[in-house]
Amino acid sequence: MGCHMKRFSLSLSVLLVLAVFLLNSCSGLPSGTTTPPSGTANFTVTVTDAPPTGVSFVSFNVPITSVSLTSSTGAIVNVVTPSTPILLDMIRLQSDSAALGTFKIPADTYTKLTITLDAVKATFANTTSATVGTCVAGDVCFLDSGTPGAQTITFASPITVVGNSNVGLNVDFNLNNAVTTANGVSIDFTQANILTIPNAPVTTGNLNAIEDFTGVITIFNSNNNNVTIASGTRGTLVGVVNSSTTYTGITQGSNPACGGNPNAQCLAANKTVSVDGTLSAAGVVTITEVDFLDTPDVDEIEGVIYRTSTAGVYNMIVSDKVNVSNNALLTALSAGAKIAVTLDTSVEFDIDTRNLLASIPSGFTSNNDIFPGQEVMVHVKSTTSGTLVNVLTDRIVLRYTRATGTVNTVSGTAFTVNNLPPFLGNSFNLSPAVQTFSGVTTFDGFSALGELATGNPTVSFRALYLNPATAPNGQPFLAAKVRKH
C-alpha cells in the first residue's frame, strides 16, 4: 500500500517568530520499512558567520527564502518558507548571532539541511589605488551574486529527533568560501563548504545569543512580560523580560530616553529599543538587557559610515531604520542601501554605552570624531532625494561597530589587533587596542583573554569605535563582545 505524506509549510515574514504548525505523517508504510517515530519536536535555527579575507566588505546581505530538512527516507520537510526573504547581514554575524525561528517538525531521523537563497547583495570598499572590476579606487560599490543555487549540508551523523523534544542547530556561513578575488571580486555559491554546522545539535539549555536587535516596541504585555519588537529591516522579535533583565539607555542630550532613568516601568509600545537576550533550544527568547534609544520613537537611520571627499557630508550603508512618520524616502530604503548624511548647523553627539561603561567616554563629541567604519544612528530631521537620498541630521549616536582582525599582543584586560578591514582607514599609528571589561564583555569561543596570547588568532568584536587620538588610554575600541574564530 502506498504512503501519502501531508506537509504544511510555514509562512514567515519576520526574522524571529515563535510559530507552530502541524505536519501529519501517514500509516500503512510498505513492508520492510521502519515506522517513523511519532509526535513532533521544536526545531530552532540560528546563523553565524566566519569572516572573509582579502576583501573589505561593509555589508553582505543574504536573503533566505526557505529552509528544509531531508529525512533518512528521502522525505523533505519544509521548515521555513517565508512570504518575504529573511535578510541577514553577514558582517554583523561575524561577532553576533541571528535566529531564523522555532518550528514544529515531525519526529524522524534527518540527514540533510537545505537553505535556499535569493540574490545576495553586498557592498565593498575599494581601498586600493586601482579599479577593481567596475569599482573605481576609493569608492564603495555594490556586488550582486545573481540567484545562487540551494546550499545543502549533509550531517556528519544523522540527527534523530524524538517526539516532545527540542533540537537547536547553529549554521555557520563561511563568507570567505563564497567570495573569489581571482578576477576582481565576485560571489560564487558553487564553492565548497559555504555552509557548515560547527557544533552538535543542542537539545537542552541555551542555543545561542540574540544581540543588539533594534526596533520599536509594538506590544508589551505586563501580565506575562512578553515584548514584541519590530525592526525596520530585520523583522520581528518576541521575547520575555524577567527580574534579571537590566535596563540601560541614552541618558545624554536634551531629550534623554526614559527621562534619564531607564527601568522596567519605561517598557511600553512606541519606544525604540535595542535588546540582548538568550535563545533556548526550545525557542524561548529571554531578554537580558533592554537599551532604550528613543522614548517616544522618532525617525532614525542606523548604518556604517564611509568616507567622502565633501566636508560635512558623510555617506552611510544602511543597516537598520525607524520610520515613524512613514516618510516615503525612508520607506524605500532597505538594508545595504547607500545614503548621504549631512550634519545640521547644530548637532548633538551622543554615545550609546549600554551597560559597558559607568561614564561617557571621550572620543565622540564633534565631526572631527567621525571615522569610516563607525556604526552610528542618526536622527532624521529632513530628507531630500538625489543621486543618493540625503538625510539632514541634528543628532548622531555612536553605536557598536563590528570588525575582524588578528590578535597581536595581550596585556591585562586589553589586546591589540592587526589586519583590520581596510575601510576603517589609516587612523591608527600602531596596532589599535581593544579594551574588554570584566563581567561585561562576552567571550565567545574562549573563556579568558590569556587564551588569545598565542598563535595570532582571528577574532571578531562588537565595540564602540572612538577617535583613536582622543579615546581613553589610547584605546579606540571598547568591546562588548569578542568571538574567537
Side-chain angles (χ1 to χ4, degrees):
M1 179 179 178
C3 169
H4 177 65
M5 181 177 183
K6 293 184 179 179
R7 296 195 303 272
F8 294 85
S9 297
L10 174 70
S11 176
L12 177 68
S13 60
V14 297
L15 174 65
L16 181 62
V17 177
L18 304 181
V20 177
F21 68 99
L22 298 178
L23 287 144
N24 298 327
S25 60
C26 67
S27 59
L29 291 169
S31 176
T33 61
T34 302
T35 303
S38 60
T40 59
N42 293 315
F43 181 61
T44 303
V45 188
T46 61
V47 181
T48 53
D49 175 45
T53 58
V55 180
S56 198
F57 283 105
V58 184
S59 68
F60 200 98
N61 290 301
V62 176
I64 294 177
T65 59
S66 71
V67 178
S68 64
L69 289 166
T70 302
S71 78
S72 56
T73 64
I76 296 175
V77 175
N78 294 320
V79 178
V80 182
T81 53
S83 57
T84 57
I86 303 169
L87 193 64
L88 302 179
D89 183 359
M90 293 299 160
I91 302 304
R92 295 175 70 98
L93 298 188
Q94 293 174 31
S95 62
D96 299 4
S97 307
L100 299 184
T102 299
F103 317 96
K104 291 290 186 182
I105 62 172
D108 206 338
T109 298
Y110 295 97
T111 60
K112 298 178 183 178
L113 178 80
T114 299
I115 298 181
T116 305
L117 309 176
D118 205 344
V120 173
K121 296 184 182 299
T123 54
F124 72 99
N126 181 2
T127 55
T128 72
S129 58
T131 298
V132 176
T134 60
C135 189
V136 299
D139 200 1
V140 172
C141 302
F142 292 111
L143 193 63
D144 194 326
S145 71
T147 302
Q151 305 295 304
T152 297
I153 307 169
T154 299
F155 302 139
S157 299
I159 298 174
T160 299
V161 177
V162 299
N164 299 315
S165 66
N166 302 311
V167 178
L169 281 182
N170 184 70
V171 177
D172 195 60
F173 186 103
N174 194 326
L175 192 58
N176 203 44
N177 288 348
V179 177
T180 62
T181 56
N183 297 297
V185 181
S186 61
I187 303 173
D188 182 4
F189 280 89
T190 65
Q191 302 293 316
N193 300 320
I194 291 175
L195 298 181
T196 61
I197 296 178
N199 302 311
V202 175
T203 56
T204 60
N206 290 329
L207 169 63
N208 222 323
I210 303 297
E211 298 153 313
D212 196 16
F213 187 94
T214 301
V216 175
I217 298 176
T218 57
I219 301 172
F220 173 59
N221 188 328
S222 58
N223 294 323
N224 57 18
N225 289 326
N226 279 350
V227 182
T228 302
I229 302 164
S231 162
T233 60
R234 299 166 61 192
T236 298
L237 179 144
V238 179
V240 60
V241 296
N242 57 30
S243 58
S244 298
T245 304
T246 60
Y247 298 89
T248 59
I250 298 178
T251 56
Q252 309 158 63
S254 58
N255 187 28
C258 305
N261 182 31
N263 55 63
Q265 286 66 47
C266 193
L267 285 169
N270 302 319
K271 297 185 177 184
T272 303
V273 297
S274 175
V275 300
D276 289 348
T278 58
L279 175 64
S280 72
V284 177
V285 176
T286 302
I287 296 174
T288 55
E289 182 191 359
V290 179
D291 179 36
F292 293 98
L293 301 176
D294 286 309
T295 56
D297 51 357
V298 294
D299 287 357
E300 301 269 18
I301 296 288
E302 182 173 345
V304 179
I305 292 291
Y306 68 93
R307 193 178 302 278
T308 74
S309 58
T310 305
V313 176
Y314 304 87
N315 284 1
M316 175 191 287
I317 302 297
V318 174
S319 59
D320 220 328
K321 66 181 180 181
V322 176
N323 186 10
V324 178
S325 66
N326 294 316
N327 180 315
L329 291 176
L330 299 186
T331 300
L333 293 178
S334 59
K338 295 167 66 173
I339 66 170
V341 176
T342 301
L343 305 184
D344 200 10
T345 52
S346 178
V347 182
E348 179 181 312
F349 283 78
D350 298 330
I351 302 177
D352 183 19
T353 60
R354 304 190 68 148
N355 63 348
L356 198 62
L357 300 162
S359 60
I360 307 301
S362 58
F364 194 75
T365 59
S366 74
N367 61 327
N368 294 324
D369 298 325
I370 300 177
F371 287 86
Q374 286 174 327
E375 179 93 10
V376 300
M377 174 178 278
V378 297
H379 172 247
V380 180
K381 183 176 182 180
S382 64
T383 57
T384 53
S385 59
T387 304
L388 297 177
V389 171
N390 184 75
V391 171
L392 179 66
T393 184
D394 54 6
R395 185 184 79 154
I396 182 168
V397 178
L398 184 69
R399 303 202 70 231
Y400 288 131
T401 287
R402 280 81 173 171
T404 295
T406 54
V407 175
N408 182 33
T409 61
V410 177
S411 177
T413 56
F415 61 93
T416 61
V417 285
N418 293 328
N419 304 314
L420 287 170
F423 72 82
L424 292 180
N426 300 312
S427 304
F428 312 112
N429 294 325
L430 301 170
S431 300
V434 181
Q435 177 65 52
T436 67
F437 301 86
S438 178
V440 180
T441 303
T442 300
F443 294 161
D444 185 353
F446 66 106
S447 57
L449 206 59
E451 296 176 38
L452 303 181
T454 59
N456 303 112
T458 298
V459 295
S460 298
F461 50 90
R462 183 174 72 246
L464 294 173
Y465 174 20
L466 302 169
N467 184 339
T470 57
N473 303 312
Q475 297 168 329
F477 295 108
L478 308 180
K481 182 177 182 180
V482 181
R483 173 181 286 165
K484 180 182 177 183
H485 294 283

